[in-house]
Structures are given as C-alpha cells and as structure tokens.
Amino acid sequence: MKGSCLCGKVRFSLDQKAKLFQYCHCSRCQKITGSAFAANLYADPASFKWLEGEELVGRYEVPDAKYFATGFCKNCGSSLPWLAKGGRSVVIPAGSFDEDPGLRPKQNTFWADKACWYEEPASLPCYKALPERKS
Ligand SMILES: [Zn+2]
Ligand SMILES: [Zn+2]
C-alpha cells in the first residue's frame, strides 16, 4: 500500500496491513490536524519504508509526551507517518494513503477530550460535492 503528501515529493509504502486503525480526539491531535480528530493507523515499523523524499520529512516531538510526535512534509505541510517515541509503531495518518489501507476504524480514543463543536458527520446534510449556490 502506498501513500504520499499533497505536493507528491514524499512517498512511502507499507508492505503489511496495519495492526490498528482508530480515531483520536485528544487535544494534540486536534491541533496537529486542525480538525476534530486524527484518523491514524498503527503499523509495524519493519513493514514501512520511505520511497521518495525522506529528506523532506519533518518531525516534531512534544516534550512531555510519552509516545506522541508528528510527521509532516517540509514542502507542503501535509501530515505524514511518524515513528512513535519508543519505536514500537509507525503511526500513519489515514488520509496520507493513496489507496485503501485495508482495514476500518475500530474505536474513538480520548472521547472525553473531543472538540465541543464536534457533530457526528452522518447527522449533517450530505452533498456529493459542494452544495448548489443560492443566488
Ligand atoms: Zn509535500
Ligand atoms: Zn491524539
């Protein structure tokens, strides 16, 4: 399974299916995604490799975090996979995959910390693309 950033300069591959897929609603994940939650897959570091642009991959470690860090493209700012502190898992933002990662989210973590404005997406009106403009 392959993935990349928005500008396409960084590419990676994962040879084996990830172990876990979950949504994390913690305050750090809200900050790093700029959104309600992070959709992350957890994979064996041995099955992960950078194919292109590894020199453009940035990393930020939150000083007091046990596992949390972030990965991003220095050119376009997209979130990218990062090795958890301790090195046991590589955490892959689901949106960075270019194809179906082969598993589905299993749970919400840090639900107690979810954004106060979060609404279940399925409870909102759905449009195939943008809604038609009202003139
Ligand atoms: Zn990029
Ligand atoms: Zn989180």
Side-chain angles (χ1 to χ4, degrees):
M1 287 155 286
K2 289 189 176 145
S4 61
C5 62
L6 185 59
C7 75
K9 289 184 194 274
V10 179
R11 297 188 183 279
F12 65 86
S13 74
L14 186 70
D15 298 341
Q16 265 173 30
K17 239 192 232 182
K19 298 174 281 191
L20 174 67
F21 188 176
Q22 65 187 15
Y23 294 154
C24 184
H25 294 257
C26 81
S27 57
R28 289 169 181 159
C29 287
Q30 289 176 37
K31 287 290 182 200
I32 195 60
T33 60
S35 189
F37 58 87
N40 285 332
L41 291 99
Y42 296 74
D44 179 358
S47 62
F48 178 87
K49 65 172 179 282
W50 298 109
L51 299 175
E52 260 179 75
E54 188 176 354
E55 70 283 358
L56 287 172
V57 179
R59 177 181 174 91
Y60 174 70
E61 292 191 353
V62 181
D64 58 347
K66 205 168 166 193
Y67 307 108
F68 193 89
T70 68
F72 55 91
C73 172
K74 291 177 190 169
N75 189 52
C76 71
S78 301
S79 284
L80 284 169
W82 46 276
L83 191 66
K85 283 180 167 179
R88 287 177 61 185
S89 291
V90 58
V91 182
I92 308 175
S96 66
F97 276 105
D98 294 324
E99 47 201 321
D100 189 337
L103 64 171
R104 295 291 176 261
K106 204 178 161 190
Q107 58 203 13
N108 290 291
T109 58
F110 289 91
W111 188 245
D113 298 333
K114 71 180 189 296
C116 61
W117 46 265
Y118 177 76
E119 292 285 350
E120 293 292 336
S123 72
L124 306 174
C126 296
Y127 300 95
K128 274 190 177 170
L130 291 173
E132 269 180 49
R133 270 202 212 184
K134 288 173 195 138
S135 48

